[in-house]
Amino acid sequence: DLAQARAALVQALGAEKQLEARRLSLQSEAEDWEERATRMLKTAKEDLARGAVDKAVQARAMAQQQEKPLAAAHRAVERLRGQQARLQQEWESARQRCSQISSNQAAAEALGAAGQGSDHYSCAMERSARLDRLGEKAARFEAVADASAELLDESDSLDRELREADRGAEVEETLARLKASLAAAPAA
């Protein structure tokens, strides 16, 4: 169970790092497109600049869309870290208890008290069953986290239409800002 928890944590960390890398890549792509737009405006190629600004706005929007899945992945990682820590504590507790049970059982056998040994054995078996239940619970939490992440990734058509409208407005605003900065800049 502990090994499964570690594997789930490693997988969640990997997914989180992939999402973060994708977000950073999209942000960098947006900056590159905006630099191209500025170069196009300097050479009086407004149509090309408008296209480049559109690409920059799209890349920024896609980078922003990575925020929710990234936050969900981060929460999943933190939750899995907590679960792993609890499982590790349970494992250590079970090992200590097993060691104690073994010692008690040996003492009981030495004293001829086999009845006490069987009681300790049943406690060890109960602890093992409890660890199994904790592992199943962790797997259920992971499934719920995966389902939640999938739901966060879905978007309805109204959101897409609003984003498209916002993107168009942002393209025009950015293009106007770039034109104004070029007009305000001293001629080189």
Side-chain angles (χ1 to χ4, degrees):
D1 293 335
L2 188 56
Q4 289 174 343
R6 285 183 182 145
L9 178 59
V10 167
Q11 187 176 13
L13 280 168
E16 181 184 27
K17 290 190 183 300
Q18 281 181 323
L19 287 169
E20 178 64 20
R22 176 72 175 142
R23 184 180 63 84
L24 292 174
S25 171
L26 288 166
Q27 287 174 341
S28 175
E29 182 180 333
E31 292 169 6
D32 290 344
W33 280 112
E34 195 164 310
E35 288 174 15
R36 289 177 186 171
T38 302
R39 287 194 308 268
M40 292 300 113
L41 283 175
K42 286 180 180 177
T43 60
K45 297 178 181 175
E46 186 173 329
D47 288 344
L48 291 175
R50 183 180 308 279
V53 168
D54 185 48
K55 293 281 189 181
V57 168
Q58 286 178 18
R60 273 198 192 90
M62 289 170 44
Q64 190 173 14
Q65 289 173 357
Q66 298 295 314
E67 293 297 329
K68 283 184 181 179
L70 184 60
H74 181 71
R75 287 190 304 271
V77 164
E78 292 305 314
R79 181 182 41 77
L80 287 170
R81 280 186 174 146
Q83 288 174 356
Q84 182 190 7
R86 287 190 300 275
L87 284 172
Q88 183 69 40
Q89 288 172 347
E90 284 294 323
W91 174 254
E92 292 300 323
S93 175
R95 285 183 55 208
Q96 290 173 357
R97 183 74 176 141
C98 286
S99 175
Q100 180 183 0
I101 290 168
S102 295
S103 297
N104 289 344
Q105 188 174 1
E109 286 174 0
L111 296 173
Q116 286 180 338
S118 67
D119 288 341
H120 292 291
Y121 178 75
S122 63
C123 287
M125 294 307 291
E126 288 172 12
R127 176 69 67 178
S128 176
R130 184 172 179 215
L131 286 174
D132 289 342
R133 287 191 304 274
L134 285 173
E136 291 168 3
K137 188 175 184 179
R140 283 193 305 271
F141 283 142
E142 184 178 343
V144 168
D146 290 343
S148 296
E150 285 179 24
L151 289 175
L152 288 174
D153 288 340
E154 295 177 0
S155 62
D156 58 29
S157 62
L158 179 60
D159 286 341
R160 281 193 303 276
E161 290 176 24
L162 289 173
R163 282 194 301 272
E164 287 298 319
D166 289 344
R167 185 174 54 116
E170 188 176 343
V171 166
E172 292 302 322
E173 289 173 12
T174 304
L175 192 57
R177 181 180 48 83
L178 290 173
K179 284 180 181 180
S181 70
L182 284 176

